[in-house]
Amino acid sequence: MRSYAVLDIVNYPQFMDHQMYYDYLYEAGAFQIKQGNQDVGIGLHLKAVEVAEMIGNDTLLTSINKRLGITFSNINNPTLAKKYLFKSLAIAENLHYDRGISSVCMTIGNVYKNTDVFDSALVYYNKSIKHAKLAGYQRGIAGNYNNLGNLYVKQKDYDRAIDYFLDAIPLNEAMRNMSWLGINYSNLGGLYADLGKYDEALFYINKGLKLRSEIGDSSGLGSDFHKRSDVFAAQKRYKQAFLDLKTAKEINNRFANNEKLALAADIEGSFHNAKKEAEIKRLRAEKNAQDVLIAAQNQELELEMALQAANDRILWGFAIILIGLIGVFVAFIRHSQQRKKYTQELSAKNSEIELVNTSLDKAKHVLTVKNEEIMDSISYAKRIQAAILPSEKYLHQSLKEAFVLYLPKDIVAGDFYWTEIVGDTVLFAVADCTGHGVPGAMVSVICNNALNDTIKLKSTTDPGEILDCTTDLVLNQFSKSEEEVKDGMDIGLCAFNRKDRTLKFAGANIPLWLVRANEVKEIKATRQPVGRFSKRQKFVTHNVAVEEGDMVYLSSDGFADQFGGINNKKFMKKNFKNLLAEISQKPLNEQNNLILDTFSQWKNRNEQVDDICIMGVKFKAS
């Protein structure tokens, strides 16, 4: 049912101030979407965007853009969802609005999760939790726990999913957030159904149905009835399964009107195909349930016919049975003797199997404990490695306009970024150590310490001289081993004098990318690593002229070496160069998001092949 009174009010903005008109548009749109009238709701929310832009209220803009992103995500249009969500995130970050950043990042994570881009989803969920804790935003923490549970369900990590769902429930109960509490119950019910634990599934699904009915939230009722129908079908309670499936279809029909979808398509792109596909899936699910009922009825009919035929055969064959009774008795005696022998052999085999199973259980327990110890050690190593990386606060103190995209392949990484202030000079670098995971992380600690020791020992800010000294320290460290160690690092190192505005660069296999007016120039590195090398030479220091508005980038080779795309090939250095040219004029936080989004879309379902570390720095007038 539509609220025609509210719809009529919003057509007369002259009777309200701008804030009141925005509030009416927002609330009326939310009401229409909740009732299944997405076309009307989207139109009202797009009007709200115009009002917020007209009065220049960034807080309202981040809220309404996020709401549009959620709506398009719910109707299976991830492209439009991300368009509005990244608009909302850019505004919230510009306002340093932790609660808004948390809320938008959680929704972006949902979009990536729903399109099976799990790595990106996890990045945004963790970012959302971080800002929710900074803002004391309990609702954001609870929502992310529920979303992480759904993410791990998709990855079939059910134990971790259950933990997150159960963590979300007390938070929502404390806040009296009944709508999200109903979602928690529904998700737990669906998870237990997948595990075949049907009693637990029914317990949570029924709790969710009851709660949704009490608060009048019809948006999730169709899904809950559908889940309960699947559980009843699995328990062979076909009548209840059919009734629930029918109820789910009736509820979902209220949210799937073709005329509404056509209007929504006119407002912001065409997304009616997703609705039609959802309707087809529901019709197929209903047909499957009907087929189950029909099959059960046919089985009962066939059973009755078989029993009748058996009775007929018994009557006609009674005489034959009497004649063969003696033979059957003899066969029974022989069978009993053989069965006794087989039972004894089977008992002996079972005893052997039990011994083997006991041994396997003990071995499995030992292996589980060892794995937990290893994971605990690696997780602690991650904390140690994180401690050597510059904090976000220190990075912005050193470089006013900068961002870092840091994506380890494993829990710990061989890549690292580094910055240090020496007098008027800011040193900053990106390094790629030999290997990744635990071995790469160990090398990164040694190389990071060598850089820090060089700064303490040498009174120089010349990048080439710093790399020469660092190389000596790394080689000296590895020379203490009885075995020949060829590990080391590739690195790009810059020195920017904030007083005279000069930039110097030296690199070990990692170049510097300078972008000016969308044109990219590569300042090449010396073709040798920091470490053992057969034809070692002095590292070359380049003087780089920078102007206001220039962007410089340092990057390890993980992004360019990533396999993906239609032909499952490497991204390549040329494409990476073109990407930097395209994004260089955009705000830094948007550049970071665009690089991450490009990487996620290119990689798709492929495994990440290496650690990734990219640093971007923008130069402004002093």
Side-chain angles (χ1 to χ4, degrees):
M1 176 179 178
R2 301 189 184 198
S3 177
Y4 288 100
V6 173
L7 288 177
D8 192 55
I9 289 172
V10 299
N11 288 323
Y12 295 91
Q14 64 269 29
F15 298 119
M16 295 171 277
D17 62 31
H18 294 310
Q19 179 66 55
M20 184 180 295
Y21 187 41
Y22 172 89
D23 291 341
Y24 270 115
L25 291 170
Y26 187 97
E27 295 299 331
F31 176 82
Q32 294 298 328
I33 290 168
K34 192 171 184 179
Q35 296 301 312
N37 304 316
Q38 288 88 347
D39 53 315
V40 179
I42 289 172
L44 292 170
H45 283 164
L46 288 172
K47 283 185 180 179
V49 172
E50 294 177 356
V51 174
E53 289 176 341
M54 180 177 64
I55 62 179
N57 191 320
D58 286 343
T59 302
L60 299 183
L61 274 173
T62 189
S63 176
I64 193 62
N65 277 303
K66 186 194 79 170
R67 174 52 54 189
L68 280 164
I70 292 172
T71 302
F72 284 116
S73 176
N74 289 338
I75 58 177
N76 299 323
N77 195 325
T79 301
L80 288 177
K82 286 190 286 186
K83 170 184 174 181
Y84 287 100
L85 290 171
F86 280 122
K87 282 184 179 180
S88 177
L89 180 60
I91 297 170
E93 289 181 333
N94 188 53
L95 294 172
H96 302 290
Y97 180 31
D98 286 316
R99 180 167 177 164
I101 294 170
S102 173
S103 181
V104 179
C105 285
M106 178 168 61
T107 308
I108 294 173
N110 288 338
V111 175
Y112 280 121
K113 177 195 68 184
N114 294 336
T115 53
D116 293 340
V117 186
F118 299 131
D119 290 343
S120 296
L122 189 59
V123 168
Y124 280 99
Y125 285 150
N126 287 330
K127 183 175 180 180
S128 177
I129 291 173
K130 171 186 172 183
H131 286 277
K133 290 180 178 178
L134 290 173
Y137 183 33
Q138 295 298 307
R139 183 182 178 93
I141 297 172
N144 278 293
Y145 284 167
N146 183 68
N147 292 328
L148 282 166
N150 285 324
L151 177 67
Y152 287 119
V153 167
K154 282 201 166 193
Q155 295 178 306
K156 302 190 183 303
D157 190 348
Y158 296 117
D159 290 338
R160 193 175 293 181
I162 290 172
D163 288 342
Y164 276 109
F165 287 148
L166 292 177
D167 286 343
I169 286 175
L171 292 175
N172 284 321
E173 287 176 338
M175 294 183 292
R176 303 295 298 168
N177 189 348
M178 298 296 103
S179 177
W180 283 15
L181 187 59
I183 294 172
N184 289 152
Y185 290 149
S186 176
N187 288 336
L188 270 171
L191 188 155
Y192 281 120
D194 291 341
L195 293 175
K197 297 182 178 181
Y198 300 124
D199 291 338
E200 291 91 336
L202 286 176
F203 173 77
Y204 283 106
I205 293 172
N206 287 334
K207 287 191 73 170
L209 281 168
K210 180 181 177 183
L211 185 58
R212 290 186 196 275
S213 299
E214 289 173 351
I215 64 176
D217 182 6
S218 59
S219 61
L221 283 176
S223 174
D224 287 347
F225 276 109
H226 204 294
K227 289 177 182 177
R228 195 170 72 174
S229 172
D230 291 339
V231 174
F232 282 147
Q235 293 179 324
K236 299 182 180 180
R237 297 161 65 180
Y238 300 119
K239 182 177 180 180
Q240 293 96 319
F242 177 73
L243 292 175
D244 272 4
L245 192 62
K246 183 178 179 182
T247 302
K249 180 176 182 289
E250 292 171 354
I251 293 172
N252 290 334
N253 278 343
R254 297 204 299 267
F255 294 85
N257 184 292
N258 288 335
E259 293 180 359
K260 297 171 188 172
L261 292 179
L263 289 172
D266 291 337
I267 295 167
E268 182 53 281
S270 175
F271 49 82
H272 61 278
N273 288 334
K275 284 284 185 180
K276 291 180 180 179
E277 291 174 1
E279 178 67 13
I280 290 170
K281 289 179 180 178
R282 286 192 290 272
L283 291 174
R284 286 176 177 169
E286 180 184 1
K287 182 178 181 300
N288 290 337
Q290 292 173 340
D291 290 343
V292 169
L293 288 171
I294 293 170
Q297 292 169 353
N298 288 338
Q299 288 177 357
E300 291 177 0
L301 182 59
E302 290 173 0
L303 180 59
E304 290 175 1
M305 294 174 63
L307 289 172
Q308 183 62 45
N311 288 333
D312 293 341
R313 288 194 298 273
I314 290 171
L315 291 173
W316 286 101
F318 186 69
I320 298 173
I321 292 172
L322 289 175
I323 294 172
L325 187 58
I326 296 174
V328 171
F329 180 74
V330 173
F332 176 75
I333 296 298
R334 294 181 62 187
H335 175 73
S336 296
Q337 293 173 343
Q338 291 177 346
R339 183 177 180 181
K340 183 178 180 181
K341 178 181 177 182
Y342 292 152
T343 300
Q344 292 173 345
E345 293 177 353
L346 182 60
S347 178
K349 292 292 184 183
N350 285 340
S351 297
E352 294 177 6
I353 292 172
E354 287 178 2
L355 289 174
V356 173
N357 286 339
T358 301
S359 299
L360 288 174
D361 288 340
K362 290 180 179 179
K364 181 180 178 181
H365 176 70
V366 171
L367 183 60
T368 300
V369 172
K370 291 296 183 184
N371 283 340
E372 290 176 353
E373 292 175 352
I374 291 170
M375 290 305 298
D376 288 343
S377 298
I378 295 175
S379 297
Y380 189 73
K382 179 183 180 180
R383 292 173 58 189
I384 294 174
Q385 188 177 43
I388 71 173
L389 295 175
S391 67
E392 185 175 345
K393 181 179 179 181
Y394 187 74
L395 182 67
H396 287 293
Q397 285 177 348
S398 306
L399 303 163
K400 302 297 183 183
E401 294 286 326
F403 75 88
V404 174
L405 178 64
Y406 186 60
L407 294 176
K409 177 185 184 298
D410 302 306
I411 297 176
V412 290
D415 286 10
F416 70 90
Y417 56 98
W418 178 85
T419 183
E420 189 65 54
I421 300 175
V422 180
D424 293 326
T425 300
V426 179
L427 299 167
F428 58 95
V430 165
D432 182 356
C433 297
T434 307
H436 52 76
V438 173
M442 294 177 68
V443 177
S444 74
V445 171
I446 293 173
C447 292
N448 189 289
N449 287 338
L451 273 173
N452 292 325
D453 290 344
T454 297
I455 298 305
K456 294 175 183 177
L457 293 171
K458 298 287 185 179
S459 58
T460 180
T461 57
D462 182 273
E465 293 178 5
I466 293 173
L467 293 186
D468 288 331
C469 181
T470 301
T471 301
D472 293 338
L473 293 177
V474 170
L475 291 174
N476 182 60
Q477 182 67 37
F478 286 138
S479 68
K480 298 175 182 178
S481 171
E482 294 182 358
E483 298 181 4
E484 183 180 7
V485 179
K486 296 183 179 180
D487 293 323
M489 67 173 170
D490 295 340
I491 186 172
L493 174 63
C494 290
F496 177 63
N497 189 297
R498 294 182 290 190
K499 188 174 182 179
D500 59 22
R501 313 298 290 175
T502 59
L503 178 69
K504 295 182 179 181
F505 164 76
N509 291 325
I510 291 183
L512 177 72
W513 301 96
L514 171 66
V515 185
R516 178 180 299 158
N518 296 328
E519 292 187 4
V520 183
K521 179 181 179 181
E522 178 184 358
I523 293 85
K524 296 186 179 296
T526 305
R527 297 182 63 84
Q528 65 183 17
V530 171
R532 191 175 300 280
F533 191 68
S534 59
K535 297 180 180 179
R536 176 158 300 283
Q537 56 183 307
K538 294 287 185 180
F539 285 98
V540 177
T541 296
H542 300 271
N543 293 310
V544 183
V546 291
E547 300 176 1
E548 181 179 357
D550 285 355
M551 282 291 307
V552 296
Y553 300 91
L554 295 169
S555 174
S556 63
D557 58 6
F559 194 113
D561 287 346
Q562 179 61 46
F563 283 92
I566 299 175
N567 299 317
N568 196 29
K569 295 182 177 180
K570 287 186 177 182
F571 190 80
M572 301 303 289
K573 181 178 176 180
K574 177 182 178 182
N575 292 326
F576 183 69
K577 174 181 175 182
N578 292 337
L579 174 62
L580 296 181
E582 291 174 6
I583 68 173
S584 61
Q585 299 302 312
K586 298 184 181 296
L588 294 183
N589 64 315
E590 189 174 344
Q591 290 189 42
N592 194 327
N593 291 332
L594 287 170
I595 294 173
L596 178 62
D597 198 27
T598 301
F599 177 74
S600 298
Q601 291 180 13
W602 176 263
K603 180 175 75 71
N604 198 4
R605 296 176 182 270
N606 290 318
E607 181 182 357
Q608 184 173 332
V609 299
D610 199 359
D611 301 322
I612 292 174
C613 185
I614 301 172
M615 178 183 288
V617 179
K618 187 172 185 177
F619 290 92
K620 288 191 174 182
S622 57

